[in-house]
């Protein structure tokens, strides 16, 4: 087989696999979009229809634009912002320390930090619940922020550590010679060069918190303290599932994630590849 024909068939096969993967990912979203415009009878119709006979826009009024749903979005954004400041702030300093300093037991400490990532989240729900109750912070957004931050810090340390190691140490030495302290050299020289890595860490924090259900469900009880992913569960009632409003709210909940990744896509990919070079 000539080389050009072989390359053409290889390209066709590549695009075919990518098209199948895209269809596999987009099919649930397209079906959710279709169901968000259907009435209760059309959702359960057999055989199912992609295009409803009549479009029911009230699902978005009851789901996406309901006051309680907007409150859920506000709670989620507040938790994301708080966890972002706490987790990235701690992780970037810890990553700098393990990247630039040598001290006894560093490798063992890194191994212990990384091993915490392997612990299933469901196994620590009960201890977290009891600790939150004892500290009288249960059913508050504060405990949710702290819990998510503690969960994300180990992963962020390893991500940012690899990226910090790509920054030439000579730049810091020049700043130290000019009279900067070690901490000032970090803030003035190193930190501005970590913007792609920080963007990657920010997207990781945002997507993790936005998509998680178990932790937010276990640490909050009142409706006014629920996060978005827990609020979606409120459409599952004892009388049945409100498919139309649920799908409308689900479609709306994906928009912030898509926008965040679209705006920070270049920095996210650059940060991941930069962190993978020497991680």
């Amino acid at each position: 087989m000539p080389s050009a024909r072989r390359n053409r068939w290889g390209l066709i096969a590549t695009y075919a696999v990518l098209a199948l993967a895209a269809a596999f990912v987009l099919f649930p979203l397209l079906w959710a979009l279709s169901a968000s415009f259907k009435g209760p009878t059309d959702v359960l119709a057999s055989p199912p229809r992609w295009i409803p006979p009549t479009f029911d826009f009230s699902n978005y009024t009851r789901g996406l634009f309901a006051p309680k749903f907007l409150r859920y979005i506000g709670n989620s954004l507040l938790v994301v912002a708080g966890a972002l400041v706490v987790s990235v702030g701690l992780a970037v300093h810890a990553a700098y320390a393990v990247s630039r300093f040598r001290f006894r037991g560093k490798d063992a400490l890194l191994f212990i930090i990384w091993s915490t990532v392997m612990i299933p989240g469901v196994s620590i729900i009960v201890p977290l619940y009891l600790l939150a109750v004892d500290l009288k912070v249960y059913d508050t957004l504060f405990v949710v922020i702290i819990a998510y931050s503690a969960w994300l810090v180990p992963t962020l340390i390893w991500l940012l550590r690899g990226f910090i190691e790509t920054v030439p140490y000579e730049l810091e030495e020049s700043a130290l010679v000019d009279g900067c302290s070690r901490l000032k050299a970090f803030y003035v020289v190193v930190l501005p060069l970590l913007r792609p890595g920080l963007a990657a860490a920010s997207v990781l924090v945002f997507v993790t918190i936005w998509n998680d259900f178990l932790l937010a469900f276990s640490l909050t009880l009142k409706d006014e303290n629920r996060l978005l992913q827990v609020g979606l569960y409120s459409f599952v009632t004892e009388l049945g599932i409100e498919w139309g409003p649920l799908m409308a709210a689900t479609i709306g909940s994906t928009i912030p994630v898509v926008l965040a990744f679209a705006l920070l896509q270049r920095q996210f990919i650059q940060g991941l590849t930069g962190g993978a070079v020497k991680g």
Side-chain angles (χ1 to χ4, degrees):
M1 182 180 294
S3 177
R5 181 179 298 179
R6 185 168 57 249
N7 292 337
R8 184 168 60 252
W9 281 108
L11 186 62
I12 293 175
T14 300
Y15 279 107
V17 172
L18 291 176
L20 289 175
F24 181 78
V25 173
L26 292 176
F27 177 80
L29 292 176
L30 293 177
W31 181 253
L33 180 62
S34 174
S36 68
F37 292 104
K38 295 179 179 179
T41 56
D42 294 329
V43 172
L44 302 176
S46 181
R49 298 178 179 178
W50 277 96
I51 301 177
T54 57
F55 286 82
D56 188 355
F57 294 95
S58 65
N59 291 329
Y60 283 87
T61 304
R62 296 169 53 200
L64 182 59
F65 299 109
K68 67 174 184 179
F69 187 79
L70 298 178
R71 183 172 62 249
Y72 298 152
I73 294 179
N75 291 340
S76 294
L77 292 176
L78 180 60
V79 171
V80 167
L84 192 64
V85 172
V86 176
S87 61
V88 176
L90 291 175
V92 71
H93 289 84
Y96 178 77
V98 299
S99 176
R100 290 294 193 247
F101 299 105
R102 295 183 179 180
F103 51 89
R104 183 178 300 178
K106 183 177 77 171
D107 293 337
L109 180 60
L110 287 174
F111 176 78
I112 294 174
I113 292 175
W114 181 245
S115 63
T116 60
V117 181
M118 309 301 175
I119 301 175
V122 67
S123 64
I124 61 174
I125 288 299
V126 174
L128 281 177
Y129 169 81
L130 295 176
L131 182 62
V133 171
D134 290 340
L135 296 177
K136 302 185 185 305
V137 293
Y138 175 71
D139 197 21
T140 63
L141 296 181
F142 171 77
V143 69
V144 179
I145 292 174
I146 297 301
Y148 276 124
S149 300
W151 182 19
L152 288 164
V153 162
T155 303
L156 297 180
I157 289 176
W158 278 85
L159 172 66
L160 295 172
R161 177 204 178 197
F163 200 83
I164 289 173
E165 291 181 350
T166 64
V167 178
Y169 184 66
E170 290 76 12
L171 297 177
E172 293 178 65
E173 289 182 333
S174 299
L176 295 175
V177 171
D178 291 338
C180 290
S181 63
R182 172 71 70 173
L183 195 60
K184 185 177 180 180
F186 168 69
Y187 289 130
V188 175
V189 177
V190 179
L191 198 58
L193 298 176
L194 297 180
R195 282 176 294 190
L198 294 176
S202 301
V203 173
L204 179 62
V205 171
F206 179 80
V207 173
T208 300
I209 297 177
W210 201 262
N211 293 332
D212 181 68
F213 174 84
L214 183 61
L215 196 59
F217 179 77
S218 303
L219 297 179
T220 56
L221 181 61
K222 297 178 182 178
D223 186 70
E224 58 266 24
N225 291 328
R226 287 179 176 175
L227 270 60
L228 174 62
Q229 58 274 30
V230 182
L232 291 175
Y233 188 70
S234 64
F235 293 107
V236 181
T237 66
E238 296 179 355
L239 301 178
I241 302 175
E242 302 179 68
W243 287 110
L246 174 60
M247 292 299 101
T250 301
I251 292 297
S253 66
T254 62
I255 295 176
V257 179
V258 174
L259 290 178
F261 186 79
L263 294 175
L264 300 174
Q265 180 179 9
R266 180 178 300 177
Q267 292 86 343
F268 180 70
I269 296 176
Q270 183 179 355
L272 289 180
T273 54
V277 173
K278 294 185 179 181

